[in-house]
Amino acid sequence: KAGVTQTPRYLIKTRGQQVTLSCSPISGHRSVSWYQQTPGQGLQFLFEYFSETQRNKGNFPGRFSGRQFSNSRSEMNVSTLELGDSALYLCASSLFRGTSPYEQYFGPGTRLTVT
Amino acid sequence: ELKVEQNPLFLSMQEGKNYTIYCNYSTTSDRLYWYRQDPGKSLESLFVLLSNGAVKQEGRLMASLDTKARLSTLHITAAVHDLSATYFCAVDRGFGNEKLTFGTGTRLTIIP
């Protein structure tokens, strides 16, 4: 079974630009979460989607947004990029067991560098 | 606000030795996870601990959970170089709030 895939793997952008990152979950997984990893702040939750609806949201500014499509694929968008947005962005997918998502499986990440 | 603390942050140990990484969390949590991350790589799931007293073992790694003490431990037995990595614990709050809150990570270096 294929794992979580993320594209692109590496990205270099300039301050003020916007960027869209893509995540394809493991087949059959309907919950997709996004995390940001930086040396200073560690791993921080961005948002989670299930059935095209945002279920949870972390403490990030409105410049960070996401969406999920009917095939469970997800995208996140960052507008008006700042230097501090440079990070590894990780996507994770999970199955639902009963009424709750279970163990999260992480993709390889997208390394975003803002110059 | 849920806080997760790990210690130590850095751990350098010789091959063949035993050691334990500690993970404390601040509020009641339903599930605790351990992940491994190699440099420049993503997170690999190691263990999922669901209930008080849960113990899981895989190879030289063993994880346990004490929900009353809000403490999980990751014990390394007879360390080998291949175990060098950063280890993270993470917790979620269960139904409706399954976002993971991660600890700071423990960078483990095994010296031959």
Side-chain angles (χ1 to χ4, degrees), chain B residues 47-110:
Chain B
F47 301 108
V48 181
L49 302 170
L50 300 178
S51 60
N52 188 42
V55 177
K56 290 195 174 180
Q57 182 163 5
E58 181 74 33
R60 301 175 188 274
L61 300 178
M62 182 174 71
S64 65
L65 177 63
D66 181 343
T67 58
K68 292 179 182 178
R70 298 175 185 164
L71 171 69
S72 179
T73 60
L74 180 66
H75 187 73
I76 303 148
T77 302
V80 294
H81 181 69
D82 286 351
L83 291 178
S84 296
T86 299
Y87 293 85
F88 292 92
C89 65
V91 299
D92 70 30
R93 300 296 303 278
F95 175 69
N97 196 2
E98 294 87 356
K99 63 180 183 180
L100 293 176
T101 300
F102 282 87
T104 49
T106 296
R107 184 175 294 180
L108 174 65
T109 304
I110 309 295

Side-chain angles (χ1 to χ4, degrees), chain A residues 18-87:
Chain A
Q18 75 165 18
V19 67
T20 299
L21 312 181
S22 180
C23 171
S24 293
I26 294 171
S27 177
H29 287 197
R30 296 168 60 196
S31 173
V32 173
S33 299
W34 289 89
Y35 295 83
Q36 181 197 65
Q37 185 176 28
T38 61
Q41 300 298 316
L43 280 152
Q44 293 185 288
F45 171 78
L46 280 156
F47 23 66
E48 183 221 341
Y49 287 88
F50 175 73
S51 291
E52 302 177 64
T53 301
Q54 189 180 88
R55 293 182 76 242
N56 284 296
K57 188 176 189 306
N59 296 323
F60 279 82
R63 299 185 297 107
F64 292 81
S65 62
R67 59 177 175 169
Q68 186 181 34
F69 301 95
S70 58
N71 61 359
S72 296
R73 190 177 69 85
S74 177
E75 289 182 346
M76 67 164 282
N77 184 275
V78 188
S79 63
T80 319
L81 284 166
E82 301 177 359
L83 294 178
D85 297 333
S86 295

